[in-house]
Every structure is written in C-alpha cells, then in structure tokens.
Amino acid sequence: VNRDLLSSQELLSLMKQCLTVYFDDLYPIMPLFKSSMLAQWLDGPLGSNERSMLLAISALVVTFLCGRSESIIGNRQWDTVARFCIAKSLSVRSEYDFVLDSSVSTLLASFFISIAYFELHDSHHTWFYLREAITLAQALGLHKSEYYDGMNSADALYSRRIYDILFVTERSFAI
C-alpha cells in the first residue's frame, strides 16, 4: 500500500466526507455511537484509538461506495484508498497497546476493518478482525450486565447494539 497516497490534509478531508456518507447511508443499519461524539472528535485533538476508528470508518465507507463517488476519492481506485485507510488505521493502532485499551473505539475499529475487508473480498482478514472485535467486546465485558451498571440509558443502548451487531455479523458471515 502506498503510504503517501494521501497527504495529511487530504486524509482529514476524506475522513470528514466519509463520516457524512456514513451518517447519511450506513448509520441506519449500523447506529453504533452518537453522531455528536464523532463531530467533536474531528474538531479537536484525537487520541490514537479515536483516530484509528475514524480511519477504519473511512475504509468501510470507501468500500461501501466501491468507486461510485469520485467526489470523495477523486480519480483514485476505491480499493487502493480503502487499503490505504486500513493500513493507516492499523499503523495508528500500533502506537498504543490496543489490547489493553478499555474503549469501545478500539473494538469498533476492528469491526469496521473487518467489514471493509469483507467488501474487498478478503475472507481471511474479514474473519480475523471480526473475531478480534468480538474478543475485545468480551474483554470489555459488553456481555455482562455489570458493564451497564451506572451507565446512562443512551450509552447502554449503543453498547448493547454494538454487542448485538457483532454477533449478527458473525452469523451472517458464517452463512
């Protein structure tokens, strides 16, 4: 993957455009977090786990478009841009100990990378990152009622959706 495919400014612009597409087209089937949360991230400094997740969402959106939107990726090949975003997401993730990170952002990055690989017809990587996302969800305790104790109802709803969508996705891939 060409590490210089997009400049930092082009990459930031791509991420913003991909988030718009995500909320317009993919959010109804994957409502996994508050839209206001991501808007705040793009307007401020990003942690490594947040940046990794935004890059993974960008890969997902680019694969979803499959070259149908030159307004987002210009005249570049969609699969090359998607692989670039995946590589950047994984590179950012290597900057911190994502296994010990106790955030939903990290597991969502794995989930979005999995879906992007599915769209790229790469079943080996699809399964690897989906299993990783499920393992991270279980490490966080999303399957335990104690995880939700003291959590506001909106955050609990999003967390339950994440857990449910992970397992629905696993079953659908298996079929």
Side-chain angles (χ1 to χ4, degrees), residues 35-54:
S35 58
S36 60
M37 177 184 75
L38 294 181
Q40 290 172 349
W41 287 2
L42 287 175
D43 292 335
L46 293 171
S48 295
N49 59 354
E50 296 160 345
R51 183 168 176 76
S52 177
M53 189 183 93
L54 291 174

Side-chain angles (χ1 to χ4, degrees), residues 100-161:
L100 296 178
D101 181 37
S102 59
S103 74
V104 172
S105 303
T106 298
L107 87 87
L108 284 175
S110 294
F111 175 67
F112 293 138
I113 289 169
S114 171
I115 303 299
Y117 273 124
F118 177 81
E119 294 296 331
L120 289 165
H121 307 290
D122 184 338
S123 64
H124 180 73
H125 284 96
T126 296
W127 277 107
F128 179 86
Y129 288 104
L130 181 59
R131 285 190 307 262
E132 181 178 85
I134 291 169
T135 299
L136 291 170
Q138 290 180 327
L140 283 172
L142 267 64
H143 63 293
K144 297 178 181 177
S145 61
E146 299 87 48
Y147 178 81
Y148 303 97
D149 290 347
M151 191 180 285
N152 71 48
S153 61
D155 290 339
L157 174 68
Y158 285 108
S159 293
R160 284 185 179 97
R161 280 183 188 162

Side-chain angles (χ1 to χ4, degrees), residues 73-103:
I73 60 172
N75 61 357
R76 297 174 178 93
Q77 294 286 32
W78 68 270
D79 54 339
T80 302
V81 174
R83 289 181 191 282
F84 174 80
C85 290
I86 291 170
K88 287 296 244 185
S89 177
L90 295 174
S91 174
V92 168
R93 199 163 77 164
S94 71
E95 297 171 3
Y96 70 103
D97 192 350
F98 76 93
V99 174
L100 296 178
D101 181 37
S102 59
S103 74

Side-chain angles (χ1 to χ4, degrees), residues 11-19 42 51 54-55 58:
L11 187 57
L12 181 61
S13 176
L14 173 73
M15 287 191 302
K16 287 180 179 182
Q17 291 173 337
C18 285
L19 281 179
L42 287 175
R51 183 168 176 76
L54 291 174
L55 287 161
S58 298

